[in-house]
Amino acid sequence: MVDQFKKRGESDLEYKKRVLDPLSPSFCGAKWYNATIWLGSGRTTSCHHPPAHFVKAEDVGQNYKLIHNSPQKKDDRLKMQSGQRPKGCEYCWKIEDMYTDKVSDRAYKSMCYSEEELKIAKETPYTEDVDLRTLEIAFDRTCQFACSYCNPAFSTTWVKDIRNNGPYTGLTTDGRDHFTHDHPHDQLYDFKETNPYVEAFFKWWEADLHKTLRELRITGGEPLMSGHTWKLLDWFRENRGKSNTEFAINSNLGFEREMLDKLLDSLDGIKFTLYSSNEAFGKQAEYIRDGLEWEQWTSNMLYLLESKKLERLNVMCTINALCLDSLTDFLDLMVAWKTIYGRHQLSFSLNIMRFPSFQGPCVLPDDLKAMYKNRLQNWYDKHKDNKFLDEFELNHLDRLIDYLEHVTVPHGEGFNRETAEKDFKRFYQQYDQRRGKDFSATFSPVMKEWYDSITLDV
C-alpha cells in the first residue's frame, strides 16, 4: 500500500507536514529508495516524473549499484537535504505551488518508507550508494501497442510506424523529438547481445537486491514480451522463500487468456500486484491506446479480479487532452468494479501528462477545460463519501480538477497554447492516416468542433 507508513486516521496533508516538512521543504524518499531503470538504454530516474538520465556502461561495469546511485541523483539528494528543489522534479513543485494545501506525489512516494528510513536518508552523506527498497525496471521496449502519447523510445510498434511511414512532420512544439525518429539510443542491445545494464541488474539482484527490495516492478514496453522477464520469473519460481520482495508487473493486458494463465502459474504463491494502463472508455480508449481492444482489456481485468491470485490490481490513468472526453465514464467503471471486488483489490491513479505538451490537458481551450473540470467536480461531489474510494484516489481527482482550472503552462520548457493546438491537429491528422482511425467519428461533438476550428498554416 502506498500509505502503509501513515498513522491511522492521518490525512495525506497531515503526513506531509508531520514527516516530510521537518526533514526539508523539498524532501522526497524516492530520490534515495526508489528507481525506474531502463536497462535497454542505460537510463535511470527516481520516479516517473523527472526526465531519465544516462549512466555510462563502463561505470556500471565497475559498480553495479550505479544503475540507481548515479551522479545526478546524488546531486539531487544534496539539494533535497538542504531544502533546494531539483529541477527535474518540477511536476511536484507545480502541484504544490497551486495551493499550500495540495499534496504532490513526493508525499505518496515517501509514504512507502518508514520514518526511520527517511531520517536515515536525510542524514546519509549524499555521495554514498543507497540500497533500493522499491524498483521499477524495463528490460527492453518490445511492445505490441503504439499508444498516441507514447513514442519509439518505449514501443517497438512505434518504431515500425516511424520506419515504415517516416517521421511525423510539422510538429514545432515537440522539443524532445518524440515522433521524428526511431530512437535507436533507447534500445542499445538486442536480446541475444550482452547488455551490461541487464548484467548489472542480475549481479545486484543475486548479491543482495533480492534481500533489500520490498517491491520489484517490471515495466516495458510490454514486459510479458521480454525474455528477460521470464528469466526473472523463473528465478522466483526456483527460489521460493529466498526473497520477501513483493513482485509487480505493468501489462497492457493485450493478450489472450493463455498468457495470463502462464503468468499466474509462474507466480503462484508469491505476493503479486499487476498494474495496467487505461484512462478512457470504449472506442475512445482504443483510439488513444492504439492496439488496445476494449472488450479484451475489460475481460482480462475481470478475469484477474476473479482469480483472487493478485495482491492488488492497479489502473494507471495517463491524463491527456483526449481522455477527458470520457474519463468520468471510465471512473464509473472503476467504482463499479471496486464495489464488487473490494476497495483494496482495485485502485486507480490519475497522472497528468506533460510531454508531449501538445497532447496534454493544457492544449485545450478554456471553455473545454472548464467543461471537463465541472464534469469532474460533479463526479467528485457525488463520490467523495464513497467508502470504496481511497483517499489518494480522491486527492488525485481533486488535484486534476484544480489543474484544469489553474494551470495553463504544463512545464518550464516554454509553452504556447495556440502553437500547441496546431501541433495537436497536425499529429492526429497523421495518426489517423497511419493507424486507420477517425478522430471526428470517435470523440464528442464539442471535441470535434474544437478540432475542426483549428486552422493550419498552408
Side-chain angles (χ1 to χ4, degrees):
M1 292 288 291
V2 68
D3 59 354
Q4 61 181 309
F5 290 109
K6 269 174 48 179
K7 288 183 176 180
R8 183 181 297 274
E10 183 177 43
S11 71
D12 295 340
L13 182 60
E14 288 169 339
Y15 169 87
K16 173 184 172 293
K17 291 180 177 180
R18 179 179 65 84
V19 177
L20 291 188
D21 289 350
L23 295 174
S24 95
S26 64
F27 192 87
C28 176
K31 196 65 71 176
W32 281 261
Y33 298 124
N34 182 72
T36 296
I37 307 171
W38 291 271
L39 298 171
S41 63
R43 284 173 169 78
T44 184
T45 186
S46 52
C47 76
H48 59 285
H49 295 314
H53 57 276
F54 181 73
V55 185
K56 294 180 180 179
E58 54 267 31
D59 291 341
V60 300
Q62 297 175 9
N63 178 4
Y64 49 70
K65 291 190 178 184
L66 286 184
I67 59 174
H68 164 51
N69 294 282
S70 66
Q72 181 170 322
K73 285 187 185 179
K74 290 178 179 179
D75 287 343
D76 288 345
R77 291 171 189 169
L78 177 61
K79 287 185 172 67
M80 286 187 170
Q81 287 174 331
S82 61
Q84 300 177 60
R85 290 179 166 188
K87 182 180 179 182
C89 302
E90 182 185 40
Y91 181 89
C92 284
W93 315 141
K94 186 170 288 291
I95 296 297
E96 293 185 12
D97 288 343
M98 284 195 297
Y99 294 105
T100 56
D101 63 346
K102 295 304 171 189
V103 179
S104 72
D105 278 1
R106 72 183 180 96
Y108 300 116
K109 297 295 183 182
S110 298
M111 289 174 197
C112 301
Y113 316 109
S114 69
E115 292 178 43
E116 181 62 25
E117 287 173 320
L118 297 177
K119 290 178 182 176
I120 290 173
K122 175 65 163 61
E123 296 167 1
T124 297
Y126 76 98
T127 54
E128 288 192 16
D129 291 338
V130 178
D131 287 329
L132 284 160
R133 297 292 183 268
T134 51
L135 170 63
E136 180 181 63
I137 55 170
F139 287 114
D140 55 55
R141 60 178 174 176
T142 305
C143 187
Q144 80 279 39
F145 282 16
C147 302
S148 59
Y149 51 71
C150 191
N151 63 75
F154 305 103
S155 165
T156 48
T157 304
W158 252 111
V159 172
K160 292 177 182 177
D161 181 337
I162 298 298
R163 289 178 179 174
N164 292 339
N165 302 304
Y168 281 67
T169 59
L171 305 179
T172 62
T173 62
D174 182 23
R176 299 187 178 190
D177 292 328
H178 289 90
F179 312 110
T180 60
H181 63 292
D182 61 5
H183 294 242
H185 56 279
D186 286 300
Q187 188 60 54
L188 302 178
Y189 308 90
D190 292 331
F191 175 67
K192 294 182 179 180
E193 290 184 302
T194 299
N195 181 333
Y197 302 103
V198 172
E199 285 193 332
F201 165 74
F202 278 108
K203 285 179 181 178
W204 195 0
W205 176 256
E206 291 282 358
D208 56 20
L209 191 57
H210 71 275
K211 300 174 184 177
T212 66
L213 273 184
R214 278 202 282 271
E215 180 181 349
L216 173 64
R217 181 168 161 185
I218 306 181
T219 186
E222 168 50 54
L224 295 184
M225 298 179 71
S226 171
H228 294 302
T229 297
W230 295 101
K231 176 183 176 181
L232 186 58
L233 294 182
D234 287 343
W235 187 96
F236 272 100
R237 187 176 63 253
E238 296 166 3
N239 294 274
R240 294 184 189 276
K242 290 186 178 180
S243 175
N244 292 321
T245 301
E246 295 186 11
F247 184 75
I249 194 164
N250 293 356
S251 176
N252 56 42
L253 297 183
F255 298 103
E256 298 300 322
R257 192 65 46 80
E258 291 76 15
M259 180 67 84
L260 297 186
D261 286 335
K262 180 181 177 182
L263 176 65
L264 293 175
D265 290 343
S266 295
L267 293 167
D268 188 34
I270 297 172
K271 286 188 176 181
F272 167 44
T273 300
L274 190 138
Y275 294 80
S276 193
S277 295
N278 215 334
E279 57 281 316
F281 194 91
K283 65 180 183 179
Q284 294 190 6
E286 294 179 338
Y287 183 96
I288 295 168
R289 308 192 73 239
D290 188 34
L292 179 141
E293 296 178 11
W294 176 255
E295 294 299 329
Q296 181 184 59
W297 186 80
T298 54
S299 175
N300 283 340
M301 286 284 292
L302 290 172
Y303 184 72
L304 291 170
L305 288 167
E306 291 283 354
S307 75
K308 302 187 186 304
K309 292 185 177 181
L310 275 68
E311 189 79 6
R312 193 177 180 95
L313 184 56
N314 298 279
V315 178
M316 303 175 292
C317 305
T318 301
I319 303 303
N320 55 86
L322 293 182
C323 80
L324 295 170
D325 216 31
S326 61
L327 178 58
T328 52
D329 294 330
F330 185 79
L331 295 178
D332 284 339
L333 179 63
M334 294 296 101
V335 170
W337 285 350
K338 285 168 72 72
T339 303
I340 296 171
Y341 296 102
R343 170 179 175 177
H344 298 302
Q345 287 303 113
L346 176 69
S347 66
F348 63 84
S349 59
L350 307 178
N351 307 297
I352 303 167
M353 191 184 76
R354 297 182 299 147
F355 300 99
S357 56
F358 67 81
Q359 291 188 29
C362 289
V363 74
L364 295 171
D366 291 341
D367 60 333
L368 275 187
K369 285 204 297 181
M371 183 189 75
Y372 291 131
K373 176 258 179 183
N374 290 335
R375 186 184 297 177
L376 288 166
Q377 183 67 63
N378 290 335
W379 195 95
Y380 178 93
D381 291 341
K382 178 181 177 182
H383 293 279
K384 63 183 178 181
D385 296 320
N386 190 317
K387 66 180 181 180
F388 290 99
L389 288 173
D390 289 321
E391 181 185 2
F392 83 88
E393 292 171 328
L394 290 169
N395 282 345
H396 273 214
L397 182 58
D398 182 50
R399 75 182 187 184
L400 173 58
I401 291 168
D402 280 332
Y403 188 94
L404 292 174
E405 182 174 8
H406 297 289
V407 176
T408 58
V409 179
H411 51 73
E413 296 183 13
F415 177 81
N416 179 277
R417 197 196 68 78
E418 289 74 18
T419 304
E421 73 173 6
K422 292 181 184 296
D423 276 358
F424 179 95
K425 186 164 187 175
R426 290 189 189 99
F427 175 84
Y428 284 110
Q429 283 181 336
Q430 296 172 68
Y431 182 79
D432 280 0
Q433 185 176 18
R434 293 167 183 240
R435 309 290 178 84
K437 297 183 181 293
D438 188 339
F439 184 101
S440 296
T442 304
F443 294 95
S444 67
V446 289
M447 181 68 80
K448 177 182 181 299
E449 181 180 4
W450 167 64
Y451 182 77
D452 290 342
S453 73
I454 301 171
T455 58
L456 300 178
D457 301 329
V458 179

